[in-house]
Amino acid sequence: MLDFDFIVSKYNYWIYIVLMMIGFYAMIGKRNLIKKIVGMNIFQTAIILFFVSVACKKGATLPILTNGHGPVKHAIDVSHYINPLPHVLMLTAIVVMVATLGVALAIVIMIYRKYNTLEEDEILKAIK
Amino acid sequence: MTEQAPILIIVIPLMFSIVTPLIGLWKKDLCYPWVILGITLSVLYSIITLKTVLCTGVIHYYVGGWMPPWGIECVIDYLNAPMMLLISGISLLVAVYSRKSIEQELPGKTPYFYTIFLLQVSGFLGIVITGDLFNLFVFLEIASLAGYALIAVGEDGAPLATFRYVVMGTVGACFYLLGVGYLYLATGSLNIADLAKILPSIYSSKVVLVAFAFFMVGVAIKMALFPLHAWLPDAYTLAPSTSSALIAPLTTKIAVYVMIRILFTVFDPDFSIIMTHTTDIMVWAGILAIFAGAIMALAQTDFKRMLCYIVVAEIGYMVGGVGLANTIAIKGAILHIINDAVMTLGVFTVAGIVCYRMKSHNISDFNALFKKMPFTMTALVVAALSMIGVPPTCGFFSKWYLLQGAVVAGSWTFVIALLVSSLVNVVLFFRIFEIGYVFHESHDGHDSHAHGDGASVIEEAPLSMLIPTMIVAVGIVLIGIYNQPILINIIQLAVPKL
């Protein structure tokens, strides 16, 4: 049977999947190019959410050691610190995604200047 | 400097691309030699690294001196050393070739075009050289973004085709990134060599399986494997001839390279072949791609679009070859990556020359071209024979190994697909040769010049386009003749232990 607690406790993963599917639907289903770009952005953001939520811990703090100068005297408990690496990776990924968004918008501007519309059907008609 | 050679291969095009627009502001004509200089240096360093790899074995280069689990590592082994030489060599030829074509198709935009051109090259080289999964994603996106820009400036309809490519390509890259995320979740490492050590103990984990699936789908979109190929034909057909001459031979082949890396380096061959049966699916995907590509190519009246569908079919060869999963087929598939890149470069450069002279790339424009541009058409014949698979050319040998591999694996459908696709290529290219000859029209008007050089040489392409094309044609034959040394000295060692 459905384990309700199990589903609820993993809510961050469910949110990322739902967001991703919303974005995917917008990319496939919508005929307007801007809506497709919005869908693409939601899709990418869902992945950022996934990475960031993976690294998150309740009650943990920044990965900076207090009394870090000199030799550390006490054992370091991993559960007290958040893993910074996924966040750092996402900084790079966000840059990549912003660049993709920029290129996509530039292409949309080219399309709009040429055909004066952003509806895919009308553009296809204008090409043929 | 030879110690730093591995990183210089990618850093040089990157740095040169940043300077190119500045040079363009000062003197536009200087951009072209500048680009050639940059890529030539890259080629030289690729040759040095290839030599080092052949003499001393696998090179590990630690970027910034940081050791692997924390820092980024560049690994050059027998698989990617020849890939790097291939990429930089093809880029050099296309760069030499580009001058006239760009002046005609994109007047006034040359500095910006070359900037993106160099970015594209460094993206390609970065994908191949890196030993870090996330870094691979970043380079994949650098190459893709530069590719979008290079394609979007093409003919009417190119922006919309590019837009579709952007959407599809982003989905592919995001799936790849998700795969990286799941693997990081399971192992806490991004380094390929590290992952290869950690993963075998957790192969039964569902997280690893999901990561593997995401990798495969993402890379399949990037390489335009058959049902996911929809973005490729439009984008490559409508791109400017130089862009398609650079992107068509390389992008898809590099995605195949990434697939081989993930299948056999990140994951064990045991995992890919025996545990998940991915390779069985890949054989069928390859067969489907070959048939679909061949049938669609037959229906085209546009030369470049026909070539694009042939590219789709060729992807089927490589994916199917890797999927056959025996030593000889994988050897054939890796050799076919090299051969197909060179062959595709050959046909696309010819398409570019025809487009430069005739202002269109319809098949009907090949009317009587053998008379007007004999050298170009000779190059086309060589490349076409290689695509078909006629012995002295390189296409024959990789197909031969693939066939042998298919027979060893007992996959007769793949054998049939290979043979049918070769026959279809015969039909496709001989149709063009026939149009190119047109015996009955050769007697009117030009009769007095028929045997003189005058009438035929005038129409020939400019030398800067012709020489790279001829080099490619010679290269096709040379790679074919020297396939045995290449196989024994390099590719043999790149094949994973099965």
Short mmCIF file of all heavy atoms in Angstrom, two decimals, chain B residues 237 297 300-310 346-355 360-366 377 380 383-384 428-429 431-433:
data_model
loop_
_atom_site.label_atom_id
_atom_site.label_comp_id
_atom_site.label_asym_id
_atom_site.label_seq_id
_atom_site.Cartn_x
_atom_site.Cartn_y
_atom_site.Cartn_z
N THR B 237 20.67 21.74 -42.26
CA THR B 237 20.43 22.13 -43.65
C THR B 237 20.46 23.64 -43.79
O THR B 237 21.03 24.17 -44.76
CB THR B 237 19.06 21.63 -44.12
OG1 THR B 237 18.95 20.26 -43.79
CG2 THR B 237 18.90 21.81 -45.61
N ALA B 297 16.46 9.77 -46.33
CA ALA B 297 17.42 10.37 -47.26
C ALA B 297 16.96 10.19 -48.70
O ALA B 297 17.14 11.07 -49.54
CB ALA B 297 18.81 9.75 -47.06
N GLN B 300 14.61 12.97 -50.16
CA GLN B 300 14.98 14.40 -50.18
C GLN B 300 15.38 14.88 -51.58
O GLN B 300 15.98 14.13 -52.34
CB GLN B 300 16.13 14.66 -49.22
CG GLN B 300 15.87 14.21 -47.81
CD GLN B 300 14.59 14.74 -47.23
OE1 GLN B 300 14.23 15.89 -47.47
NE2 GLN B 300 13.87 13.91 -46.51
N THR B 301 15.04 16.13 -51.85
CA THR B 301 15.49 16.74 -53.10
C THR B 301 16.58 17.77 -52.83
O THR B 301 17.13 18.35 -53.75
CB THR B 301 14.34 17.46 -53.81
OG1 THR B 301 13.77 18.38 -52.89
CG2 THR B 301 13.30 16.49 -54.30
N ASP B 302 16.87 18.00 -51.56
CA ASP B 302 17.87 18.98 -51.17
C ASP B 302 19.14 18.22 -50.78
O ASP B 302 19.09 17.30 -49.96
CB ASP B 302 17.33 19.78 -49.99
CG ASP B 302 18.22 20.93 -49.62
OD1 ASP B 302 19.42 20.72 -49.40
OD2 ASP B 302 17.71 22.05 -49.55
N PHE B 303 20.27 18.62 -51.35
CA PHE B 303 21.51 17.86 -51.14
C PHE B 303 21.90 17.84 -49.67
O PHE B 303 22.17 16.80 -49.08
CB PHE B 303 22.63 18.47 -51.99
CG PHE B 303 23.93 17.73 -51.89
CD1 PHE B 303 24.01 16.40 -52.22
CD2 PHE B 303 25.08 18.38 -51.47
CE1 PHE B 303 25.21 15.72 -52.13
CE2 PHE B 303 26.28 17.71 -51.38
CZ PHE B 303 26.34 16.37 -51.71
N LYS B 304 21.90 19.04 -49.03
CA LYS B 304 22.34 19.09 -47.65
C LYS B 304 21.40 18.32 -46.73
O LYS B 304 21.82 17.65 -45.80
CB LYS B 304 22.41 20.55 -47.19
CG LYS B 304 23.81 21.10 -47.16
CD LYS B 304 23.77 22.58 -46.97
CE LYS B 304 24.41 23.02 -45.68
NZ LYS B 304 24.35 24.49 -45.55
N ARG B 305 20.08 18.40 -47.02
CA ARG B 305 19.13 17.69 -46.18
C ARG B 305 19.33 16.17 -46.33
O ARG B 305 19.24 15.43 -45.35
CB ARG B 305 17.70 18.09 -46.55
CG ARG B 305 16.67 17.68 -45.54
CD ARG B 305 15.31 18.20 -45.92
NE ARG B 305 15.21 19.64 -45.74
CZ ARG B 305 14.81 20.19 -44.60
NH1 ARG B 305 14.47 19.45 -43.59
NH2 ARG B 305 14.73 21.50 -44.49
N MET B 306 19.64 15.76 -47.55
CA MET B 306 19.92 14.35 -47.76
C MET B 306 21.13 13.92 -46.91
O MET B 306 21.11 12.88 -46.24
CB MET B 306 20.21 14.13 -49.25
CG MET B 306 20.45 12.72 -49.65
SD MET B 306 21.09 12.67 -51.32
CE MET B 306 22.83 12.60 -51.01
N LEU B 307 22.18 14.76 -46.93
CA LEU B 307 23.36 14.45 -46.13
C LEU B 307 23.01 14.35 -44.65
O LEU B 307 23.53 13.50 -43.93
CB LEU B 307 24.43 15.52 -46.33
CG LEU B 307 25.00 15.65 -47.73
CD1 LEU B 307 26.03 16.75 -47.76
CD2 LEU B 307 25.60 14.35 -48.19
N CYS B 308 22.09 15.24 -44.20
CA CYS B 308 21.72 15.23 -42.78
C CYS B 308 21.10 13.89 -42.41
O CYS B 308 21.39 13.33 -41.35
CB CYS B 308 20.73 16.33 -42.48
SG CYS B 308 21.47 17.94 -42.61
N TYR B 309 20.25 13.36 -43.30
CA TYR B 309 19.64 12.06 -42.98
C TYR B 309 20.68 10.96 -43.05
O TYR B 309 20.59 9.98 -42.30
CB TYR B 309 18.46 11.78 -43.90
CG TYR B 309 17.23 12.53 -43.46
CD1 TYR B 309 16.75 13.62 -44.16
CD2 TYR B 309 16.58 12.16 -42.29
CE1 TYR B 309 15.65 14.32 -43.72
CE2 TYR B 309 15.48 12.85 -41.85
CZ TYR B 309 15.02 13.93 -42.57
OH TYR B 309 13.95 14.62 -42.12
N ILE B 310 21.69 11.12 -43.91
CA ILE B 310 22.76 10.13 -43.91
C ILE B 310 23.51 10.18 -42.57
O ILE B 310 23.87 9.15 -42.02
CB ILE B 310 23.73 10.38 -45.10
CG1 ILE B 310 23.00 10.11 -46.41
CG2 ILE B 310 24.95 9.48 -44.99
CD1 ILE B 310 23.82 10.35 -47.63
N GLY B 346 33.98 15.86 -45.79
CA GLY B 346 34.16 15.89 -47.24
C GLY B 346 32.89 16.28 -47.97
O GLY B 346 32.89 17.20 -48.79
N VAL B 347 31.76 15.62 -47.68
CA VAL B 347 30.54 15.92 -48.42
C VAL B 347 30.00 17.30 -48.08
O VAL B 347 29.49 18.00 -48.95
CB VAL B 347 29.46 14.84 -48.22
CG1 VAL B 347 29.76 13.63 -49.04
CG2 VAL B 347 29.27 14.48 -46.78
N PHE B 348 30.14 17.71 -46.81
CA PHE B 348 29.59 19.02 -46.47
C PHE B 348 30.43 20.16 -47.05
O PHE B 348 29.88 21.21 -47.39
CB PHE B 348 29.45 19.18 -44.95
CG PHE B 348 28.11 18.72 -44.44
CD1 PHE B 348 27.93 17.44 -43.95
CD2 PHE B 348 27.01 19.56 -44.47
CE1 PHE B 348 26.71 17.01 -43.50
CE2 PHE B 348 25.78 19.14 -44.01
CZ PHE B 348 25.63 17.87 -43.53
N THR B 349 31.75 19.96 -47.16
CA THR B 349 32.54 21.01 -47.80
C THR B 349 32.16 21.12 -49.27
O THR B 349 32.06 22.23 -49.81
CB THR B 349 34.04 20.75 -47.69
OG1 THR B 349 34.29 19.39 -48.00
CG2 THR B 349 34.58 21.07 -46.33
N VAL B 350 31.91 19.97 -49.93
CA VAL B 350 31.48 20.03 -51.32
C VAL B 350 30.13 20.75 -51.42
O VAL B 350 29.93 21.60 -52.29
CB VAL B 350 31.40 18.61 -51.92
CG1 VAL B 350 30.72 18.66 -53.27
CG2 VAL B 350 32.77 18.02 -52.03
N ALA B 351 29.22 20.42 -50.50
CA ALA B 351 27.92 21.11 -50.49
C ALA B 351 28.12 22.60 -50.35
O ALA B 351 27.45 23.40 -51.02
CB ALA B 351 27.06 20.57 -49.35
N GLY B 352 29.09 23.00 -49.50
CA GLY B 352 29.36 24.42 -49.32
C GLY B 352 29.88 25.07 -50.59
O GLY B 352 29.49 26.18 -50.93
N ILE B 353 30.76 24.36 -51.31
CA ILE B 353 31.31 24.92 -52.55
C ILE B 353 30.20 25.08 -53.59
O ILE B 353 30.08 26.12 -54.24
CB ILE B 353 32.43 24.02 -53.09
CG1 ILE B 353 33.65 24.12 -52.18
CG2 ILE B 353 32.82 24.44 -54.50
CD1 ILE B 353 34.78 23.23 -52.59
N VAL B 354 29.36 24.05 -53.72
CA VAL B 354 28.25 24.14 -54.67
C VAL B 354 27.34 25.29 -54.30
O VAL B 354 26.88 26.05 -55.15
CB VAL B 354 27.48 22.80 -54.72
CG1 VAL B 354 26.24 22.93 -55.57
CG2 VAL B 354 28.37 21.71 -55.24
N CYS B 355 27.10 25.43 -52.99
CA CYS B 355 26.23 26.50 -52.52
C CYS B 355 26.87 27.86 -52.81
O CYS B 355 26.19 28.81 -53.16
CB CYS B 355 26.01 26.32 -51.02
SG CYS B 355 24.82 27.43 -50.34
N SER B 360 22.51 27.79 -54.00
CA SER B 360 21.47 26.91 -53.46
C SER B 360 22.04 25.52 -53.35
O SER B 360 23.08 25.23 -53.94
CB SER B 360 20.23 26.93 -54.36
OG SER B 360 19.98 25.65 -54.87
N HIS B 361 21.42 24.66 -52.56
CA HIS B 361 21.95 23.30 -52.47
C HIS B 361 20.90 22.27 -52.85
O HIS B 361 20.76 21.25 -52.19
CB HIS B 361 22.55 23.03 -51.10
CG HIS B 361 21.86 23.72 -49.97
ND1 HIS B 361 20.63 23.33 -49.52
CD2 HIS B 361 22.22 24.80 -49.25
CE1 HIS B 361 20.29 24.12 -48.53
NE2 HIS B 361 21.21 25.03 -48.34
N ASN B 362 20.15 22.56 -53.89
CA ASN B 362 19.22 21.57 -54.40
C ASN B 362 19.99 20.56 -55.26
O ASN B 362 21.01 20.90 -55.85
CB ASN B 362 18.16 22.27 -55.26
CG ASN B 362 16.80 21.81 -54.87
OD1 ASN B 362 16.53 20.61 -54.93
ND2 ASN B 362 15.96 22.72 -54.45
N ILE B 363 19.45 19.34 -55.34
CA ILE B 363 20.18 18.33 -56.12
C ILE B 363 20.19 18.71 -57.60
O ILE B 363 21.15 18.45 -58.32
CB ILE B 363 19.56 16.94 -55.90
CG1 ILE B 363 19.93 16.46 -54.50
CG2 ILE B 363 20.05 15.94 -56.91
CD1 ILE B 363 19.42 15.11 -54.14
N SER B 364 19.13 19.39 -58.07
CA SER B 364 19.07 19.76 -59.49
C SER B 364 20.18 20.74 -59.87
O SER B 364 20.51 20.89 -61.04
CB SER B 364 17.71 20.35 -59.81
OG SER B 364 17.47 21.44 -58.97
N ASP B 365 20.78 21.41 -58.86
CA ASP B 365 21.87 22.34 -59.16
C ASP B 365 23.17 21.64 -59.51
O ASP B 365 24.13 22.29 -59.91
CB ASP B 365 22.11 23.26 -57.97
CG ASP B 365 20.97 24.20 -57.77
OD1 ASP B 365 20.57 24.83 -58.74
OD2 ASP B 365 20.45 24.27 -56.65
N PHE B 366 23.20 20.33 -59.34
CA PHE B 366 24.42 19.60 -59.69
C PHE B 366 24.51 19.36 -61.18
O PHE B 366 25.43 18.70 -61.65
CB PHE B 366 24.48 18.28 -58.93
CG PHE B 366 24.92 18.47 -57.51
CD1 PHE B 366 24.07 19.00 -56.57
CD2 PHE B 366 26.21 18.14 -57.12
CE1 PHE B 366 24.47 19.19 -55.27
CE2 PHE B 366 26.62 18.32 -55.82
CZ PHE B 366 25.75 18.85 -54.90
N MET B 377 34.11 17.92 -57.73
CA MET B 377 33.30 16.73 -57.91
C MET B 377 34.13 15.47 -57.69
O MET B 377 33.60 14.47 -57.22
CB MET B 377 32.66 16.72 -59.29
CG MET B 377 31.64 17.82 -59.48
SD MET B 377 30.41 17.89 -58.17
CE MET B 377 29.21 16.75 -58.81
N LEU B 380 33.95 14.94 -54.17
CA LEU B 380 32.64 14.40 -53.82
C LEU B 380 32.59 12.90 -54.10
O LEU B 380 32.08 12.13 -53.31
CB LEU B 380 31.53 15.12 -54.59
CG LEU B 380 30.13 14.57 -54.34
CD1 LEU B 380 29.72 14.77 -52.90
CD2 LEU B 380 29.11 15.19 -55.26
N ALA B 383 34.49 11.04 -51.41
CA ALA B 383 33.75 11.00 -50.15
C ALA B 383 32.54 10.08 -50.28
O ALA B 383 32.22 9.32 -49.36
CB ALA B 383 33.31 12.41 -49.76
N ALA B 384 31.88 10.14 -51.45
CA ALA B 384 30.68 9.32 -51.64
C ALA B 384 31.04 7.84 -51.66
O ALA B 384 30.36 7.02 -51.05
CB ALA B 384 29.98 9.71 -52.93
N LEU B 428 21.66 6.96 -53.66
CA LEU B 428 21.65 8.40 -53.38
C LEU B 428 22.75 9.12 -54.15
O LEU B 428 22.51 10.14 -54.80
CB LEU B 428 21.88 8.63 -51.88
CG LEU B 428 20.73 8.27 -50.96
CD1 LEU B 428 21.19 8.35 -49.52
CD2 LEU B 428 19.58 9.20 -51.19
N PHE B 429 23.97 8.58 -54.07
CA PHE B 429 25.08 9.33 -54.63
C PHE B 429 25.17 9.17 -56.14
O PHE B 429 25.54 10.11 -56.83
CB PHE B 429 26.39 8.94 -53.94
CG PHE B 429 26.52 9.57 -52.59
CD1 PHE B 429 26.41 8.82 -51.45
CD2 PHE B 429 26.72 10.93 -52.48
CE1 PHE B 429 26.51 9.41 -50.21
CE2 PHE B 429 26.83 11.53 -51.25
CZ PHE B 429 26.72 10.76 -50.11
N ARG B 431 22.70 8.93 -58.11
CA ARG B 431 21.72 9.86 -58.67
C ARG B 431 22.36 11.23 -58.88
O ARG B 431 22.18 11.87 -59.93
CB ARG B 431 20.55 9.97 -57.67
CG ARG B 431 19.43 10.87 -58.10
CD ARG B 431 18.30 10.78 -57.13
NE ARG B 431 18.69 11.17 -55.75
CZ ARG B 431 17.83 11.46 -54.80
NH1 ARG B 431 16.54 11.41 -55.03
NH2 ARG B 431 18.24 11.80 -53.60
N ILE B 432 23.16 11.65 -57.89
CA ILE B 432 23.82 12.96 -58.02
C ILE B 432 24.88 12.92 -59.12
O ILE B 432 25.00 13.85 -59.91
CB ILE B 432 24.42 13.37 -56.68
CG1 ILE B 432 23.29 13.66 -55.72
CG2 ILE B 432 25.30 14.58 -56.82
CD1 ILE B 432 23.71 13.70 -54.30
N PHE B 433 25.65 11.81 -59.18
CA PHE B 433 26.67 11.72 -60.23
C PHE B 433 26.02 11.81 -61.60
O PHE B 433 26.53 12.45 -62.51
CB PHE B 433 27.44 10.40 -60.13
CG PHE B 433 28.21 10.25 -58.85
CD1 PHE B 433 28.62 9.01 -58.41
CD2 PHE B 433 28.52 11.36 -58.08
CE1 PHE B 433 29.33 8.88 -57.23
CE2 PHE B 433 29.22 11.23 -56.91
CZ PHE B 433 29.62 9.98 -56.48
#
